[in-house]
Amino acid sequence: MAGSDNGALGRTFKVVRILQGISLVAIIGMAAYFISQMVSNNNAPSDVIVGTLSVTCIAVLYCAITYILYVDNILPFLITTGMDSLLLIALVVVAVVVGKPLSYLNCRVIGSSSVSQSTYQLGLELKKSFSKEGSRVQYSNWIGASRVTCYEMKAIWGLSIALCVLFAFSAICSVCLWRRSKAVAPKSVEA
């Protein structure tokens, strides 16, 4: 593969970008599936899931472009550091908003007899929400609808936390690569 040889730092940058892309595509797939389920029931999708999908679509496009620019040795590292930092902030917001109600939810007990009453109430709430055409699905109700949905949302939450770490790491790699590219080559002294 073509591109500059930036040693271990450059290889690390590439690996982090690939891991970011894989995580982002997984989140996009799960979020799009949830939106599809909500829309097929004639309901407006949850703002939380739409926001998550929007941020991750922008981020995956950004990762693809910066990876190509890096391989072609025309990536502006300082701008990349700033953009990675902005995406880090956006992903922190996604992780907090997605995770806030999830942190209190135990997916294993959804559907068990110990919570049958709360499950029944949740079912009534969802049925009421789904019976109104065009009504907006409440995120807090959606995540507790089934055990599978709960686990998938926790996967989205976990991947968004992992992406926060990866974008922080790629921002650090970018600034280090920028400093390396700006370093002055030592002058040779002839005697």
Side-chain angles (χ1 to χ4, degrees):
M1 192 178 292
S4 65
D5 181 29
N6 286 312
L9 196 58
R11 287 188 293 277
T12 302
F13 181 80
K14 283 191 212 177
V15 168
V16 167
R17 275 292 187 255
I18 290 168
L19 291 174
Q20 289 168 344
I22 291 168
S23 298
L24 289 165
V25 168
I27 291 174
I28 288 170
M30 287 184 275
Y33 174 71
F34 287 143
I35 289 173
S36 170
Q37 282 184 322
M38 291 174 195
V39 170
S40 69
N41 286 316
N42 296 323
N43 288 290
S46 166
D47 291 337
V48 173
I49 298 175
V50 171
T52 300
L53 185 63
S54 301
V55 169
T56 53
C57 285
I58 292 167
V60 79
L61 180 63
Y62 167 76
C63 286
I65 290 170
T66 56
Y67 186 84
I68 292 167
L69 292 175
Y70 177 79
V71 168
D72 286 344
N73 201 22
I74 55 174
L75 182 66
F77 292 118
L78 194 56
I79 294 171
T80 302
T81 300
M83 290 298 295
D84 280 3
S85 299
L86 289 175
L87 279 173
L88 171 63
I89 292 167
L91 287 164
V92 165
V93 170
V94 166
V96 168
V97 171
V98 167
K100 188 176 179 182
L102 277 173
S103 63
Y104 299 108
L105 191 59
N106 184 352
C107 297
R108 289 182 296 207
V109 300
I110 294 176
S112 69
S113 60
S114 64
V115 291
S116 61
Q117 183 61 29
S118 62
T119 304
Y120 175 74
Q121 290 172 344
L122 175 64
L124 288 177
E125 182 68 30
L126 285 173
K127 186 176 180 182
K128 188 176 13 170
S129 175
F130 287 147
S131 67
K132 299 178 198 170
E133 190 166 318
S135 64
R136 182 163 305 281
V137 175
Q138 295 299 316
Y139 173 68
S140 57
N141 291 342
W142 179 258
I143 60 174
S146 73
R147 189 176 290 170
V148 172
T149 300
C150 178
Y151 281 128
E152 287 176 358
M153 285 308 301
K154 285 202 175 197
I156 289 175
W157 183 33
L159 286 170
S160 62
I161 291 169
L163 281 167
C164 291
V165 172
L166 288 171
F167 272 99
F169 199 69
S170 65
I172 292 167
C173 285
S174 295
V175 78
C176 291
L177 287 166
W178 173 75
R179 291 211 15 121
R180 177 186 281 175
S181 70
K182 294 298 174 190
V184 179
K187 295 181 183 179
S188 63
V189 177
E190 293 183 29

